[in-house]
Amino acid sequence: MIKAEYFWSEGFFPVLSLVGSIFLIIIPLILAVAYLTYVERKVIAAMQLRVGPNVVGWFGLLQPFADGLKLLHKETIIPTRSNPLAFLIAPVLTFGLSLSAWAVIPFGPEGAISNINVGILYLFAISSLGVYGIIIAGWASNSKYALLGALRSAAQMISYEVSIGLVIIAVLLSVGSLNLSQIVEAQKNIWFIIPHLPMAVIFMISALAETNRAPFDLPEAEAELVSGYNVEYSSMSFALFFLGEYANMILMSAMGSLLFLGGWLPPFHMAPFTWVPGIVWFALKISLFLFVFLWVRATFPRYRYDQLMRLGWKVFLPFSFAWVVLTASFLLTFNILPG
Amino acid sequence: MINASAVLFYIFSGVLLSAAMMVVTVRNTVYGVLFLILAFFNAAGLFILVHAEFLALMLVVVYVGAVAVLFLFVVMMLNVELSHFRETVKSYSLIGSFVGGILAVELILVMVTWNTSTEAFNLTSAPSAFYGNVSNTKALGYLLYTHYALIFQGAGLILLIAMMGAIVLTLRHREGVKKQNVASQLARRAKESVELVDIPSGSGI
C-alpha cells in the first residue's frame, strides 16, 4: 500500500511539473511556428518589393491564425486506394518527432527538460528519423507524385545526414563531450563559428537540405511534382506536415546556434550584454539562422537533383572528412585535446 | 517487489519479440520493414535500461535512421507478388522446418545450460570496471582505441572492402550520357565559345 504523502511528493507533483514544463516549451514553439510562416511571407515580400499579408489584424499579424482556422474547417480527405492507417500516421509522426527533439535543447545553464549525456546524438537521431514521416506519406498516398517526392526526400536526407554527422564530430572533438550544456559552456571564450567557420557553412547548407527547404526543396518541387509527398493531404493532416516542417527548421536553427553560436551565452562577457537573460540571446541566434533560411529561399533558384547529390557526396563529404582530420591533428599537436 | 525498470524490461522485450515475429509473418513487405523499425526501437530501449545510452542512440542513428530507410526504399520500389510468394513457401516448407527445428533445439540447449555470473549485474552500469567512473561513451572509446584497436581497425577495413565491392558491382559506364563537368564549365570563356560573325545578306555561314 502506497502512502498518500509519498504519492503526492514522489509521484504526482514531479509528473505535474514535467507536464507543465513540456507545455511551456510546446506552446511557445507552436506560436513560433505560426509566426515563422508570417515572417517568411513578410520577409520574402520585402525582398520582392511587395507588401505581404496586411489585411487580417494590424500589419496582418492575425494572418497565421486565419490560415490555421481555414485549414481546421476543411474536410479531411483520405484517398480511396490509399492505406488509411499509414496515411494518417505519417503526419502525426512528422509532427511528433519535430516536437520530441526539444526535450534536450538547453535554454539556459539549467534550462533543458532532460539534460542527457548524449544530447547531441539524440538530436541527430531525431532529425534523421524525420525522413520516415515523408517516406510513409509518399507510399501510403498511392500516388505517383507523392511516391517520387518521398523517394527524392529519402535519398536527399540520408546524403546530407552524413555531412551533418561529420560537422558534429568536428565540434565534439573541440568540446570533449556529447552533452549539449557542455558544448555551450566550451564556447565561453570563443564561439565555434570562428575556428570552425567552414563547418558552420556546411552545417547551414546541409540543414537546408535536411529540412527540404529551398534551394533543395526537390521533394516538393511544384513545377514537376505538384507538391510532392503531401499532394494527397488536406485539412489537419496537411497542417501537421506543415507545422512539423517549420518546427524542424526551428530545431535545426537551435542546433546550429548551440553548436556554433554559443547557445545562451552573450556575445561579450561585459555589463550591458550579461544583463540580458540567456534565453533572449538564444532566441536571437535562432532567429538569425531562421532569417538565413528565408533569405536563401528568396535568393536562389532550385538545384537540379544530380547537382544536389554531387554537392553532398563529392564536395561536402571529402571536405568535412578533411576538416575532422585537421581538427583532430591540430588539437593533438598542440596538446589541447579536451576531455 | 517489481521495480519500474523490470516492468520496462518486460514491455520492451515483449514488444521486441512480437515485432520481430511480425517481420517474418506479415504479408505486406512495407509493414514488415515498419515492424523491423519497431524492433530496433525496443532494442534501443533495452540498451538504455542497462545505461548504455551511446549504443542505444547509435542503434537508432545507424539502423533506424539509415539502414531501415534504405530497406524501405527498396521494398517500396519492388512489387512483391504475394501469390508467387505463397507457392515458394510451400515448396521450401519441409527443408525450412528441418533447419528451423535444429536451430530451435540448439537455442533451447543453450538456454537450459546458460550460467549467469553473479557479477554480471554490477557490470551493467559500469561497462568496464577498469576505467572506473567515466561515462560509457568515454569508456567505449578508451576500450576501442586501446585494447581492441587492431580488431576495431580490422572491422573498419572489412566495411571498406564491402563498400568498394558494392560500388564496383553497381558502377556502370554508359555511352552517350551527358555529364556535367563543373570545372570545364567554369573554365569556359566568352572568347572561345562565342564568335561574332558578319553575315553578308543572301548567303549562309
Side-chain angles (χ1 to χ4, degrees):
Chain A
M1 182 78 197
I2 302 167
K3 282 184 187 152
E5 301 128 60
Y6 181 77
F7 170 74
W8 287 108
S9 65
E10 296 293 314
F12 188 73
F13 284 118
V15 170
L16 194 70
S17 77
L18 190 65
V19 171
S21 53
I22 289 171
F23 272 102
L24 266 181
I25 287 179
I26 286 182
I27 290 169
L29 180 67
I30 290 176
L31 276 178
V33 167
Y35 276 94
L36 180 58
T37 64
Y38 170 79
V39 170
E40 175 171 36
R41 294 164 75 175
K42 275 288 187 191
V43 165
I44 292 180
M47 286 175 180
Q48 298 169 344
L49 299 181
R50 293 183 285 114
V51 181
N54 67 341
V55 175
V56 193
W58 309 275
F59 305 105
L61 273 173
L62 294 177
Q63 185 69 46
F65 297 104
D67 290 342
L69 279 176
K70 190 202 82 176
L71 273 176
L72 198 65
H73 83 250
K74 295 274 177 183
E75 184 189 352
T76 305
I77 300 167
I78 299 177
T80 36
R81 300 195 62 190
S82 70
N83 186 325
L85 184 68
F87 188 80
L88 289 178
I89 282 178
V92 176
L93 195 67
T94 303
F95 185 60
L97 282 174
S98 68
L99 291 184
S100 63
W102 287 86
V104 295
I105 300 276
F107 294 93
E110 277 127 35
I113 290 186
S114 135
N115 188 7
I116 59 176
N117 271 338
V118 284
I120 189 72
L121 265 184
Y122 176 82
L123 277 185
F124 186 58
I126 294 286
S127 74
S128 70
L129 292 184
V131 67
Y132 280 107
I134 291 170
I135 204 167
I136 292 174
W139 174 75
S141 302
N142 198 5
S143 144
K144 289 186 193 74
Y145 295 124
L147 187 64
L148 282 173
L151 292 181
R152 279 184 178 190
S153 176
Q156 170 179 338
M157 287 172 89
I158 289 180
S159 309
Y160 280 84
E161 232 171 70
V162 180
S163 52
I164 287 191
L166 286 169
V167 168
I168 290 175
I169 290 176
V171 170
L172 291 182
L173 276 175
S174 357
V175 178
S177 167
L178 292 150
N179 183 303
L180 283 168
S181 299
Q182 286 177 19
I183 290 174
V184 171
E185 292 296 335
Q187 303 179 56
K188 208 139 207 166
N189 296 320
I190 186 164
W191 291 357
F192 284 146
I193 192 167
I194 296 168
H196 286 300
L197 182 65
M199 287 282 111
V201 173
I202 287 184
F203 179 82
M204 186 67 225
I205 296 173
S206 304
L208 288 172
E210 189 80 357
T211 50
N212 297 326
R213 290 287 300 179
F216 306 120
D217 56 345
L218 289 137
E220 44 194 292
E222 293 89 350
E224 58 228 62
L225 293 182
V226 196
S227 172
Y229 63 91
N230 60 21
V231 66
E232 303 291 343
Y233 282 85
S234 60
S235 181
M236 276 323 279
S237 53
F238 174 76
L240 284 180
F241 267 127
F242 198 74
L243 287 172
E245 197 172 311
Y246 278 76
N248 270 333
M249 273 168 68
I250 303 181
L251 177 69
M252 282 316 236
S253 308
M255 215 163 136
S257 40
L258 287 173
L259 287 175
F260 293 108
L261 293 182
W264 66 81
L265 296 174
F268 302 103
H269 291 282
M270 281 188 282
F273 296 107
T274 44
W275 293 341
V276 180
I279 190 164
V280 175
W281 285 121
F282 192 41
L284 279 176
K285 287 163 186 175
I286 292 178
S287 314
L288 183 72
F289 264 99
L290 287 173
F291 177 75
V292 177
F293 270 91
L294 309 181
W295 191 15
V296 166
R297 183 180 169 193
T299 312
F300 293 111
R302 187 176 294 132
Y303 259 57
R304 220 170 54 205
Y305 203 72
D306 62 315
Q307 292 171 333
L308 171 89
M309 284 295 157
R310 201 186 70 88
L311 185 71
W313 290 105
K314 291 190 180 172
V315 180
F316 282 0
L317 187 63
F319 185 84
S320 39
F321 253 128
W323 193 268
V324 167
V325 174
L326 189 72
T327 310
S329 352
F330 181 85
L331 292 173
L332 201 64
T333 312
F334 292 94
N335 210 10
I336 45 174
L337 200 66
Chain B
M1 179 73 196
I2 299 167
N3 55 5
S5 65
V7 172
L8 282 174
F9 171 78
Y10 285 114
I11 291 174
F12 281 140
S13 41
V15 176
L16 171 63
L17 288 177
S18 40
M21 196 64 208
M22 292 300 274
V23 174
V24 285
T25 52
V26 82
R27 275 289 148 79
N28 192 329
T29 41
V30 173
Y31 283 167
V33 179
L34 292 179
F35 274 115
L36 186 66
I37 293 162
L38 185 64
F40 283 145
F41 264 113
N42 284 283
L46 288 178
F47 272 131
I48 286 179
L49 281 185
V50 292
H51 301 279
E53 70 259 6
F54 182 77
L55 281 181
L57 281 169
M58 273 297 133
L59 188 72
V60 172
V61 169
V62 174
Y63 283 92
V64 184
V67 175
V69 174
L70 294 177
F71 276 177
L72 205 57
F73 206 94
V74 172
V75 161
M76 273 163 53
M77 302 294 285
L78 293 174
N79 253 332
V80 183
E81 280 179 38
L82 289 180
S83 55
H84 176 69
F85 174 72
R86 271 179 215 138
E87 281 167 22
T88 50
V89 164
K90 266 177 202 160
S91 65
Y92 286 113
S93 59
L94 191 71
I95 186 144
S97 51
F98 178 67
V99 174
I102 290 177
L103 262 180
V105 169
E106 281 177 354
L107 275 179
I108 290 168
L109 281 178
V110 167
M111 269 196 287
V112 171
T113 55
W114 187 270
N115 286 320
T116 312
S117 157
T118 44
E119 287 172 33
F121 184 75
N122 298 329
L123 287 173
T124 53
S125 51
S128 163
F130 186 72
Y131 292 109
N133 198 16
V134 294
S135 76
N136 72 57
T137 313
K138 267 187 188 160
L140 206 61
Y142 286 142
L143 271 180
L144 280 183
Y145 287 99
T146 52
H147 283 256
Y148 300 110
L150 272 179
I151 298 171
F152 185 59
Q153 297 292 329
L157 210 61
I158 291 170
L159 282 176
L160 180 68
I161 291 167
M163 191 176 81
M164 291 194 313
I167 292 172
V168 167
L169 284 177
T170 53
L171 188 68
R172 288 185 298 162
H173 287 290
R174 282 178 297 174
E175 294 297 317
V177 178
K178 286 181 179 169
K179 273 191 182 158
Q180 184 184 18
N181 187 345
V182 176
S184 78
Q185 281 181 345
L186 290 176
R188 252 159 74 107
R189 290 285 169 267
K191 249 185 221 166
E192 325 153 358
S193 19
V194 187
E195 196 183 347
L196 204 60
V197 185
D198 230 352
I199 309 167
S201 85
S203 67
I205 299 171

Short mmCIF file of all heavy atoms in Angstrom, two decimals, chain A residues 235-269:
data_model
loop_
_atom_site.label_atom_id
_atom_site.label_comp_id
_atom_site.label_asym_id
_atom_site.label_seq_id
_atom_site.Cartn_x
_atom_site.Cartn_y
_atom_site.Cartn_z
N SER A 235 -6.60 19.49 -45.07
CA SER A 235 -7.06 19.83 -43.72
C SER A 235 -5.96 19.65 -42.66
O SER A 235 -4.82 20.00 -42.88
CB SER A 235 -8.30 19.00 -43.39
OG SER A 235 -8.76 19.32 -42.12
N MET A 236 -6.32 19.05 -41.50
CA MET A 236 -5.39 18.98 -40.38
C MET A 236 -4.20 18.07 -40.68
O MET A 236 -3.11 18.31 -40.18
CB MET A 236 -6.10 18.49 -39.12
CG MET A 236 -6.83 19.56 -38.36
SD MET A 236 -5.99 21.15 -38.34
CE MET A 236 -4.80 20.87 -37.07
N SER A 237 -4.39 17.02 -41.49
CA SER A 237 -3.24 16.15 -41.78
C SER A 237 -2.19 16.93 -42.55
O SER A 237 -0.99 16.75 -42.32
CB SER A 237 -3.68 14.91 -42.53
OG SER A 237 -4.42 15.24 -43.67
N PHE A 238 -2.64 17.83 -43.43
CA PHE A 238 -1.68 18.69 -44.12
C PHE A 238 -1.05 19.67 -43.15
O PHE A 238 0.15 19.93 -43.18
CB PHE A 238 -2.36 19.44 -45.27
CG PHE A 238 -1.46 20.45 -45.92
CD1 PHE A 238 -0.47 20.05 -46.79
CD2 PHE A 238 -1.59 21.81 -45.64
CE1 PHE A 238 0.38 20.97 -47.36
CE2 PHE A 238 -0.75 22.72 -46.21
CZ PHE A 238 0.23 22.30 -47.09
N ALA A 239 -1.91 20.21 -42.26
CA ALA A 239 -1.41 21.22 -41.30
C ALA A 239 -0.32 20.63 -40.42
O ALA A 239 0.66 21.31 -40.10
CB ALA A 239 -2.55 21.74 -40.45
N LEU A 240 -0.46 19.33 -40.06
CA LEU A 240 0.56 18.70 -39.21
C LEU A 240 1.89 18.61 -39.95
O LEU A 240 2.95 18.86 -39.37
CB LEU A 240 0.11 17.31 -38.77
CG LEU A 240 -0.93 17.28 -37.67
CD1 LEU A 240 -1.28 15.85 -37.32
CD2 LEU A 240 -0.43 18.00 -36.44
N PHE A 241 1.85 18.26 -41.25
CA PHE A 241 3.08 18.25 -42.05
C PHE A 241 3.71 19.63 -42.07
O PHE A 241 4.92 19.79 -41.91
CB PHE A 241 2.78 17.83 -43.49
CG PHE A 241 2.93 16.38 -43.72
CD1 PHE A 241 1.91 15.65 -44.28
CD2 PHE A 241 4.11 15.74 -43.39
CE1 PHE A 241 2.05 14.30 -44.50
CE2 PHE A 241 4.25 14.39 -43.61
CZ PHE A 241 3.22 13.68 -44.16
N PHE A 242 2.86 20.61 -42.28
CA PHE A 242 3.33 21.99 -42.40
C PHE A 242 3.99 22.43 -41.10
O PHE A 242 5.12 22.95 -41.10
CB PHE A 242 2.10 22.86 -42.71
CG PHE A 242 2.44 24.19 -43.27
CD1 PHE A 242 2.87 24.31 -44.58
CD2 PHE A 242 2.29 25.32 -42.49
CE1 PHE A 242 3.17 25.55 -45.10
CE2 PHE A 242 2.59 26.56 -43.02
CZ PHE A 242 3.03 26.67 -44.32
N LEU A 243 3.29 22.19 -39.98
CA LEU A 243 3.83 22.57 -38.67
C LEU A 243 5.14 21.83 -38.41
O LEU A 243 6.12 22.41 -37.93
CB LEU A 243 2.83 22.22 -37.57
CG LEU A 243 1.59 23.09 -37.45
CD1 LEU A 243 0.63 22.48 -36.45
CD2 LEU A 243 1.96 24.48 -37.01
N GLY A 244 5.15 20.51 -38.75
CA GLY A 244 6.34 19.71 -38.50
C GLY A 244 7.53 20.23 -39.27
O GLY A 244 8.64 20.33 -38.75
N GLU A 245 7.29 20.61 -40.52
CA GLU A 245 8.38 21.10 -41.36
C GLU A 245 8.97 22.40 -40.81
O GLU A 245 10.19 22.56 -40.73
CB GLU A 245 7.84 21.32 -42.77
CG GLU A 245 8.87 21.43 -43.82
CD GLU A 245 8.24 21.45 -45.20
OE1 GLU A 245 7.40 20.58 -45.48
OE2 GLU A 245 8.58 22.34 -45.97
N TYR A 246 8.10 23.29 -40.37
CA TYR A 246 8.60 24.57 -39.83
C TYR A 246 9.23 24.37 -38.46
O TYR A 246 10.22 25.02 -38.13
CB TYR A 246 7.48 25.62 -39.80
CG TYR A 246 7.31 26.26 -41.15
CD1 TYR A 246 6.66 25.57 -42.17
CD2 TYR A 246 7.82 27.51 -41.42
CE1 TYR A 246 6.54 26.12 -43.41
CE2 TYR A 246 7.70 28.07 -42.67
CZ TYR A 246 7.05 27.38 -43.66
OH TYR A 246 6.95 27.92 -44.91
N ALA A 247 8.67 23.44 -37.65
CA ALA A 247 9.28 23.16 -36.35
C ALA A 247 10.67 22.57 -36.55
O ALA A 247 11.58 22.86 -35.78
CB ALA A 247 8.40 22.22 -35.54
N ASN A 248 10.84 21.76 -37.61
CA ASN A 248 12.16 21.21 -37.91
C ASN A 248 13.14 22.30 -38.29
O ASN A 248 14.32 22.22 -37.96
CB ASN A 248 12.06 20.20 -39.05
CG ASN A 248 11.82 18.81 -38.54
OD1 ASN A 248 12.20 18.51 -37.40
ND2 ASN A 248 11.18 17.99 -39.33
N MET A 249 12.64 23.32 -39.02
CA MET A 249 13.52 24.46 -39.34
C MET A 249 14.01 25.12 -38.07
O MET A 249 15.19 25.45 -37.93
CB MET A 249 12.76 25.49 -40.18
CG MET A 249 12.76 25.24 -41.65
SD MET A 249 11.57 26.30 -42.44
CE MET A 249 12.29 27.90 -42.21
N ILE A 250 13.07 25.35 -37.12
CA ILE A 250 13.46 25.99 -35.87
C ILE A 250 14.43 25.10 -35.11
O ILE A 250 15.41 25.58 -34.53
CB ILE A 250 12.22 26.31 -35.01
CG1 ILE A 250 11.26 27.19 -35.81
CG2 ILE A 250 12.60 27.02 -33.73
CD1 ILE A 250 10.03 27.58 -35.04
N LEU A 251 14.19 23.77 -35.17
CA LEU A 251 15.07 22.84 -34.46
C LEU A 251 16.48 22.89 -35.03
O LEU A 251 17.47 22.94 -34.28
CB LEU A 251 14.51 21.42 -34.58
CG LEU A 251 15.37 20.36 -33.94
CD1 LEU A 251 15.33 20.52 -32.44
CD2 LEU A 251 14.90 18.98 -34.34
N MET A 252 16.59 22.88 -36.38
CA MET A 252 17.91 22.93 -36.99
C MET A 252 18.61 24.23 -36.64
O MET A 252 19.82 24.27 -36.41
CB MET A 252 17.79 22.79 -38.51
CG MET A 252 17.55 21.39 -38.98
SD MET A 252 18.58 20.22 -38.15
CE MET A 252 19.41 19.41 -39.41
N SER A 253 17.83 25.34 -36.57
CA SER A 253 18.43 26.62 -36.20
C SER A 253 18.93 26.57 -34.77
O SER A 253 20.01 27.09 -34.46
CB SER A 253 17.41 27.74 -36.35
OG SER A 253 16.85 27.70 -37.62
N ALA A 254 18.14 25.93 -33.88
CA ALA A 254 18.56 25.82 -32.49
C ALA A 254 19.84 24.99 -32.39
O ALA A 254 20.77 25.34 -31.66
CB ALA A 254 17.46 25.17 -31.65
N MET A 255 19.89 23.89 -33.18
CA MET A 255 21.08 23.04 -33.18
C MET A 255 22.28 23.85 -33.67
O MET A 255 23.37 23.78 -33.08
CB MET A 255 20.82 21.88 -34.14
CG MET A 255 21.42 20.58 -33.75
SD MET A 255 20.59 19.31 -34.71
CE MET A 255 21.99 18.34 -35.20
N GLY A 256 22.09 24.63 -34.72
CA GLY A 256 23.17 25.45 -35.26
C GLY A 256 23.66 26.46 -34.25
O GLY A 256 24.87 26.67 -34.09
N SER A 257 22.72 27.08 -33.50
CA SER A 257 23.19 28.10 -32.56
C SER A 257 23.83 27.45 -31.34
O SER A 257 24.72 28.05 -30.73
CB SER A 257 22.06 29.04 -32.16
OG SER A 257 20.87 28.38 -31.99
N LEU A 258 23.43 26.21 -30.99
CA LEU A 258 24.12 25.53 -29.89
C LEU A 258 25.53 25.11 -30.30
O LEU A 258 26.47 25.23 -29.52
CB LEU A 258 23.35 24.28 -29.47
CG LEU A 258 22.05 24.48 -28.71
CD1 LEU A 258 21.34 23.16 -28.53
CD2 LEU A 258 22.31 25.11 -27.36
N LEU A 259 25.67 24.65 -31.55
CA LEU A 259 26.98 24.14 -31.97
C LEU A 259 27.96 25.26 -32.31
O LEU A 259 29.15 25.13 -32.07
CB LEU A 259 26.81 23.24 -33.20
CG LEU A 259 26.21 21.87 -33.00
CD1 LEU A 259 26.03 21.18 -34.34
CD2 LEU A 259 27.09 21.02 -32.12
N PHE A 260 27.45 26.35 -32.89
CA PHE A 260 28.39 27.33 -33.45
C PHE A 260 28.28 28.72 -32.84
O PHE A 260 29.25 29.46 -32.87
CB PHE A 260 28.20 27.44 -34.96
CG PHE A 260 28.59 26.20 -35.68
CD1 PHE A 260 27.64 25.37 -36.23
CD2 PHE A 260 29.92 25.84 -35.78
CE1 PHE A 260 28.01 24.22 -36.88
CE2 PHE A 260 30.30 24.70 -36.43
CZ PHE A 260 29.33 23.88 -36.99
N LEU A 261 27.11 29.11 -32.32
CA LEU A 261 26.96 30.49 -31.85
C LEU A 261 26.86 30.57 -30.33
O LEU A 261 26.44 31.59 -29.78
CB LEU A 261 25.72 31.14 -32.49
CG LEU A 261 25.81 31.36 -33.99
CD1 LEU A 261 24.57 32.06 -34.48
CD2 LEU A 261 27.02 32.20 -34.36
N GLY A 262 27.23 29.50 -29.64
CA GLY A 262 27.31 29.60 -28.18
C GLY A 262 25.97 29.63 -27.46
O GLY A 262 25.89 30.18 -26.37
N GLY A 263 24.93 29.04 -28.03
CA GLY A 263 23.65 28.87 -27.34
C GLY A 263 23.17 30.09 -26.59
O GLY A 263 22.92 31.13 -27.19
N TRP A 264 23.06 29.97 -25.26
CA TRP A 264 22.52 31.05 -24.46
C TRP A 264 23.58 32.08 -24.05
O TRP A 264 23.27 33.03 -23.36
CB TRP A 264 21.84 30.48 -23.22
CG TRP A 264 22.80 29.83 -22.28
CD1 TRP A 264 23.59 30.46 -21.36
CD2 TRP A 264 23.10 28.45 -22.16
NE1 TRP A 264 24.36 29.55 -20.69
CE2 TRP A 264 24.08 28.30 -21.16
CE3 TRP A 264 22.63 27.31 -22.82
CZ2 TRP A 264 24.60 27.07 -20.79
CZ3 TRP A 264 23.16 26.08 -22.44
CH2 TRP A 264 24.13 25.97 -21.44
N LEU A 265 24.85 31.88 -24.42
CA LEU A 265 25.91 32.79 -23.97
C LEU A 265 25.79 34.13 -24.67
O LEU A 265 25.47 34.20 -25.84
CB LEU A 265 27.29 32.18 -24.27
CG LEU A 265 27.65 30.89 -23.56
CD1 LEU A 265 28.97 30.37 -24.10
CD2 LEU A 265 27.73 31.11 -22.08
N PRO A 266 26.05 35.24 -23.95
CA PRO A 266 26.08 36.54 -24.61
C PRO A 266 27.33 36.67 -25.47
O PRO A 266 28.32 35.97 -25.25
CB PRO A 266 26.11 37.53 -23.44
CG PRO A 266 26.68 36.75 -22.32
CD PRO A 266 26.30 35.33 -22.52
N PRO A 267 27.32 37.58 -26.47
CA PRO A 267 28.49 37.70 -27.35
C PRO A 267 29.75 38.17 -26.61
O PRO A 267 30.84 37.76 -26.94
CB PRO A 267 28.04 38.70 -28.41
CG PRO A 267 26.81 39.31 -27.91
CD PRO A 267 26.20 38.40 -26.93
N PHE A 268 29.58 39.08 -25.63
CA PHE A 268 30.73 39.51 -24.83
C PHE A 268 30.37 39.39 -23.37
O PHE A 268 29.23 39.64 -22.99
CB PHE A 268 31.10 40.97 -25.14
CG PHE A 268 31.41 41.20 -26.58
CD1 PHE A 268 30.46 41.81 -27.41
CD2 PHE A 268 32.61 40.81 -27.13
CE1 PHE A 268 30.73 42.01 -28.74
CE2 PHE A 268 32.88 41.01 -28.45
CZ PHE A 268 31.94 41.62 -29.28
N HIS A 269 31.33 39.03 -22.53
CA HIS A 269 31.04 38.92 -21.11
C HIS A 269 31.27 40.26 -20.45
O HIS A 269 32.17 40.45 -19.65
CB HIS A 269 31.88 37.82 -20.47
CG HIS A 269 31.46 36.47 -20.94
ND1 HIS A 269 30.34 35.85 -20.45
CD2 HIS A 269 31.95 35.66 -21.89
CE1 HIS A 269 30.19 34.69 -21.06
NE2 HIS A 269 31.14 34.57 -21.95
#
